[in-house]
Structure formats: structure tokens, C-alpha cells
């Protein structure tokens, strides 16, 4: 056997160590990023059609969900953006009466954000759409295949989190 496929999707030659590396697009991480990007783009189109929300807005509505009100800082952390990045989206959601702002009773300097009844309806449409997309994505997998996939994704996620921490500490 002159060539073998590695776990990452690249090929190596047992006799020729100078063989060119496989393109980055065959690596698992690249394939997962393509999958995630396709899923995100499809979700953005669906939620725009169902609720009229852009990607930042539907992220905020999804994060607020059916939970207690959140501070702007906590909401920014939940969606992975800074407070400045979400301020326009929050202003738009407020003008469309999807969210309400109230002062935090424990700290009047802090603003708490919650969904209104209209916002909850948008949230429920997002959840229903996400569940339908998830069913469609996974309908061809057996229960055993799905269980194995989820275990593997969890394992890879834990390793990726460790890798991120290692990169952060390598500065």
C-alpha cells in the first residue's frame, strides 16, 4: 500500500515523505466550517422569511427566549458580540415592539431586556423553524448513528475548547 488516508482526510505516502500535503479543504475542521456556514446561511434565510429578523436580531431574540430579563452585558456575552455591536439591533427590536427595557430593581443603572408578547411569538417561530431544520438534517441517520455522531461532536467540541484555551495562553 503506497498511500494511506489519515484521520484528518490527508493522504501520506509510506515511501515518499516529501509528498505534497492535501488541500486544507479536505481537513475535518474545514468540512465542519462549510457545514456550519451552510446551516447558518439557511437559518438566516428562514428566520428572515418567518420573522423579518436579520441574523443579529434573531440571535438576540433566540438568546432572550423564555427566560428572565437579561442585562445588555449578559445578552452581548450570550450572543458573542460586544455591547456596541448589538445596540442597533436592540434599538430596532425595541422600535418593532419585540423587546422591552426596564431598570434592574437591584441596580437602577443597569437595563434589563426581555421579550414582549410579539417577541415571544417571533422566538417561538425561530424555535419551530430550528426544530424543523434539525429534523430535516438528521432524518437520514439511524438512532445509533445519531447517538454516535452526538458523542463525537461533544468530544470534538471539548478538544476544540482546549485548543482555544491553549491558543489564548500562547500569546
Amino acid at each position: 500500500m503506497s498511500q494511506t488516508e489519515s484521520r484528518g482526510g490527508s493522504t501520506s505516502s509510506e515511501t515518499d515523505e516529501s509528498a505534497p500535503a492535501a488541500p486544507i479543504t479536505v481537513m475535518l475542521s474545514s468540512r465542519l466550517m462549510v457545514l456550519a456556514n451552510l446551516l447558518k446561511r439557511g437559518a438566516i434565510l428562514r428566520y428572515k422569511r418567518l420573522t423579518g429578523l436579520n441574523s443579529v436580531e434573531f440571535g438576540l431574540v433566540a438568546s432572550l427566549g423564555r427566560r428572565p430579563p437579561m442585562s445588555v452585558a449578559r445578552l452581548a456575552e450570550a450572543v458573542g458580540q460586544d455591547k456596541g455591536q448589538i445596540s442597533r439591533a436592540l434599538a430596532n427590536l425595541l422600535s418593532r415592539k419585540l423587546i422591552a427595557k426596564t431598570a434592574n430593581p437591584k441596580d437602577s443603572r443597569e437595563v434589563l431586556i426581555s421579550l414582549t408578547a410579539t417577541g415571544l411569538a417571533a422566538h417561538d417561530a425561530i424555535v419551530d423553524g430550528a426544530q424543523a431544520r434539525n429534523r430535516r438534517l438528521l432524518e437520514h441517520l439511524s438512532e445509533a448513528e445519531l447517538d454516535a455522531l452526538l458523542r463525537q461532536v461533544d468530544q470534538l467540541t471539548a478538544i476544540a475548547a482546549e485548543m482555544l484555551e491553549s491558543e489564548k495562553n500562547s500569546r
Side-chain angles (χ1 to χ4, degrees):
M1 177 189 301
S2 65
Q3 287 198 346
T4 57
E5 187 167 329
S6 74
R7 299 183 97 200
S10 62
T11 58
S12 63
S13 172
E14 292 177 350
T15 59
D16 184 7
E17 291 299 321
S18 64
I24 197 166
T25 54
V26 300
M27 293 181 183
L28 177 62
S29 58
S30 292
R31 291 176 181 194
L32 291 173
M33 284 188 268
V34 168
L35 174 60
N37 189 28
L38 289 168
L39 290 170
K40 181 179 179 179
R41 289 170 48 204
I44 289 168
L45 291 173
R46 176 176 284 235
Y47 304 142
K48 180 75 169 170
R49 179 175 46 81
L50 290 175
T51 64
L53 300 174
N54 67 34
S55 62
V56 175
E57 294 166 344
F58 87 68
L60 293 171
V61 170
S63 293
L64 286 165
R66 294 186 170 276
R67 300 181 186 146
M70 278 191 219
S71 69
V72 176
R74 173 72 180 97
L75 187 56
E77 181 183 304
V79 297
Q81 297 178 340
D82 65 47
K83 290 188 285 186
Q85 290 176 306
I86 64 170
S87 64
R88 264 197 316 268
L90 288 173
N92 190 34
L93 293 172
L94 186 64
S95 72
R96 293 173 58 193
K97 297 182 176 33
L98 294 169
I99 62 167
K101 290 183 174 184
T102 57
N104 185 342
K106 297 177 183 173
D107 180 356
S108 61
R109 297 169 295 168
E110 184 176 60
V111 174
L112 297 178
I113 309 294
S114 59
L115 294 177
T116 63
T118 304
L120 286 169
H123 172 266
D124 292 348
I126 290 169
V127 170
D128 290 345
Q131 289 173 338
R133 288 173 45 77
N134 194 60
R135 280 191 301 275
R136 172 73 173 93
L137 181 66
L138 302 175
E139 68 187 0
H140 299 291
L141 298 178
S142 71
E143 188 173 332
E145 289 170 325
L146 178 58
D147 289 344
L149 175 62
L150 294 176
R151 278 193 314 276
Q152 291 166 344
V153 167
D154 290 344
Q155 181 181 15
L156 292 172
T157 300
I159 293 167
E162 290 171 8
M163 292 168 61
L164 175 61
E165 286 305 311
S166 177
E167 287 298 327
K168 286 179 181 178
N169 296 329
S170 296
R171 292 182 188 185

